[in-house]
C-alpha cells in the first residue's frame, strides 16, 4: 500500500459486494470520536470505496466488509483484485463476517473450487456456524479491548450489541509450524489460502510485523444457556462452550459479527487508533 502525505491516512473499504457503505458511514462517525485524542490530532483520515488495484494501492489500511464471501472472492478474482489483496494482508486490515472468512488461512463447509481465500489470519473458520439467515441474532459481547474508551463512571466498557448474520466462528487457531497448511488441505470440505511470505516492504519498515505474530483472541460469544437456573453451572457451561468471534494477528483483525450494522462506532474508533499507530510506526521507520 502507498504511503501518502505524513498527515493523511487513507482507509479503503473493499466495495465489490456487501456492507461497504455502512462501514464508511461508521468510519466517518468514528473519526469524529477520535478527533480529540491527543496522539491523533495531527492525522487526517480519508475514507474511500476500493474496487481496483490502483485504488487499493493508494490506501494505508483496508476493511473487507460482511456480505457473501464467495461472491466477494469471485468478483475479486475476475477483476484482478485477488492477488493485490493478498499482497497487502500484512498492513492494517479488518475483515467482518465474510471478510473474516476471506482473511482466514483455512475455511470449512466450502464447496471444492467455490471460493478463494486471501489469508492473513492463522485460523480455521467454520462458515455459517449458527445456521441460515433466519437464525441470525444479536448478542451482548464483553470487549476488553474497548476499555480505554469507557467513561469515567463505568467500571468496565459497556457490552457491545453484536449482530450475527450467517456468521462464521473461529473453529481453531492454527499452529504456526511448517506443514500446517498441508494438514488443513487434507480435510474434507476445507479450502486454504496460498502459502504466504511477509512482504519485503514490511520487513524493511515494520519490525513489529516482520515475523508471523501469534493469534490473539479478542472476543468470545458465551454458550447460549439462558434456560439454566443455576448461576454457577451456567457460568461454567458458558465458558466451556464459548465461540471465538474476534481475533487479531499482527495488523490483521477479524470479527464474526457486523459492527457496521449497529450504529455503535466504538470498534471502528478503536481500529482507527490501531491504524494510526501502525502507519506512524511504518512511516517513522521508513524515514530512519
Amino acid at each position: 500500500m502507498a504511503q501518502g502525505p505524513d498527515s493523511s491516512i487513507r482507509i479503503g473499504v473493499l466495495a465489490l459486494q456487501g456492507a461497504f457503505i455502512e462501514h464508511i458511514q461508521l468510519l466517518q462517525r468514528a473519526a469524529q470520536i477520535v478527533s480529540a485524542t491527543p496522539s491523533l490530532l495531527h492525522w487526517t483520515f480519508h475514507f474511500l470505496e476500493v474496487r481496483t488495484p490502483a485504488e487499493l494501492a493508494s490506501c494505508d489500511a483496508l476493511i473487507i466488509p460482511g456480505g457473501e464471501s464467495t461472491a466477494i472472492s469471485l468478483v475479486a478474482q475476475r477483476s484482478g483484485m485477488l492477488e493485490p489483496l493478498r499482497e497487502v494482508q500484512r498492513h492494517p486490515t479488518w475483515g467482518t463476517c465474510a471478510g473474516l472468512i476471506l482473511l482466514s488461512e483455512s475455511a470449512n463447509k466450502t464447496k471444492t473450487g467455490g471460493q478463494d481465500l486471501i489469508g492473513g489470519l492463522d485460523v480455521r473458520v467454520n462458515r455459517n456456524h449458527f445456521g441460515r439467515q433466519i437464525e441470525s441474532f444479536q448478542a451482548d459481547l464483553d470487549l476488553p479491548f474497548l476499555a480505554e474508551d469507557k467513561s469515567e463512571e463505568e467500571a468496565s466498557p459497556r457490552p457491545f450489541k453484536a449482530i450475527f448474520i450467517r456468521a462464521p466462528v473461529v473453529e481453531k487457531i492454527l499452529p504456526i509450524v511448517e506443514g500446517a497448511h498441508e494438514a488443513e488441505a487434507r480435510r474434507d470440505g476445507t479450502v486454504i489460502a496460498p502459502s504466504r511470505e511477509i512482504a519485503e516492504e514490511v520487513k524493511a519498515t515494520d519490525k513489529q510485523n516482520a515475523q508471523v505474530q501469534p493469534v490473539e483472541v479478542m472476543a468470545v460469544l458465551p454458550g447460549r444457556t439462558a434456560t439454566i437456573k443455576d448461576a454457577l453451572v451456567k457460568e461454567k457451561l458458558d465458558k466451556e462452550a464459548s465461540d471465538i468471534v474476534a481475533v487479531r494477528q499482527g495488523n490483521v483483525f477479524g470479527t464474526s459479527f457486523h459492527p457496521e450494522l449497529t450504529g455503535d462506532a466504538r470498534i471502528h474508533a478503536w481500529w482507527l487508533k490501531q491504524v494510526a499507530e501502525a502507519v506512524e510506526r511504518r512511516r517513522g521507520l521508513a524515514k530512519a
Side-chain angles (χ1 to χ4, degrees):
M1 289 188 184
Q3 297 177 12
D6 283 353
S7 63
S8 176
I9 296 178
R10 290 171 60 86
I11 295 178
V13 180
L14 190 65
L16 303 181
Q17 192 268 342
F20 54 89
I21 293 175
E22 290 84 350
H23 266 297
I24 288 180
Q25 291 172 340
L26 217 53
L27 282 168
Q28 291 168 340
R29 188 182 304 176
Q32 295 176 344
I33 293 173
V34 303
S35 62
T37 303
S39 62
L40 300 181
L41 291 177
H42 61 292
W43 291 116
T44 301
F45 292 101
H46 299 280
F47 309 114
L48 66 151
E49 297 176 10
V50 171
R51 295 184 177 88
T52 68
E55 290 168 340
L56 179 63
S58 73
C59 296
D60 296 294
L62 180 72
I63 290 178
I64 303 176
E68 292 286 345
S69 60
T70 302
I72 295 173
S73 174
L74 287 173
V75 175
Q77 196 276 332
R78 292 172 182 172
S79 61
M81 286 287 288
L82 197 57
E83 289 307 318
L85 285 167
R86 287 172 176 154
E87 291 174 6
V88 302
Q89 62 186 255
R90 283 295 163 188
H91 292 277
T93 307
W94 175 14
T96 62
C97 196
L100 168 62
I101 295 172
L102 291 168
L103 288 173
S104 67
E105 290 291 320
S106 174
N108 63 19
K109 293 187 179 179
T110 302
K111 294 180 180 179
T112 302
Q115 178 169 4
D116 288 308
L117 300 180
I118 295 168
L121 289 168
D122 283 300
V123 300
R124 180 201 304 150
V125 297
N126 186 23
R127 300 171 79 250
N128 299 338
H129 177 77
F130 300 104
R132 298 171 296 172
Q133 188 94 5
I134 61 172
E135 295 166 304
S136 302
F137 63 96
Q138 297 184 28
D140 287 341
L141 296 181
D142 292 325
L143 302 179
F145 62 89
L146 296 182
E148 64 183 59
D149 296 317
K150 66 181 177 63
S151 68
E152 294 181 0
E153 294 77 20
E154 295 175 318
S156 59
R158 67 184 186 278
F160 189 94
K161 188 170 289 296
I163 297 175
F164 293 83
I165 303 174
R166 295 179 61 194
V169 298
V170 172
E171 183 177 81
K172 181 180 180 180
I173 295 175
L174 301 176
I176 306 174
V177 296
E178 187 174 350
H181 269 70
E182 289 79 359
E184 288 296 301
R186 290 193 292 269
R187 291 174 49 86
D188 291 338
T190 300
V191 295
I192 63 170
S195 297
R196 70 182 188 274
E197 293 185 3
I198 297 174
E200 291 300 321
E201 175 195 355
V202 176
K203 292 179 181 179
T205 62
D206 192 349
K207 294 181 180 179
Q208 178 170 319
N209 288 288
Q211 296 181 346
V212 177
Q213 303 293 308
V215 175
E216 302 174 70
V217 175
M218 304 294 283
V220 297
L221 176 68
R224 286 178 278 174
T225 55
T227 58
I228 296 176
K229 303 300 182 183
D230 188 313
L232 292 177
V233 172
K234 180 180 182 301
E235 181 180 3
K236 180 176 184 295
L237 290 176
D238 275 347
K239 187 174 182 180
E240 292 177 350
S242 293
D243 292 310
I244 299 173
V245 295
V247 291
R248 177 173 64 176
Q249 186 174 16
N251 278 333
V252 186
F253 179 50
T255 55
S256 298
F257 50 95
H258 290 267
E260 73 278 11
L261 301 182
T262 65
D264 187 339
R266 285 180 294 160
I267 298 180
H268 285 75
W270 170 84
W271 188 69
L272 287 182
K273 295 177 183 178
Q274 308 307 303
V275 170
E277 290 176 5
V279 170
E280 186 156 14
R281 184 170 60 246
R282 188 173 73 242
R283 292 181 186 174
L285 288 170
K287 291 178 181 179

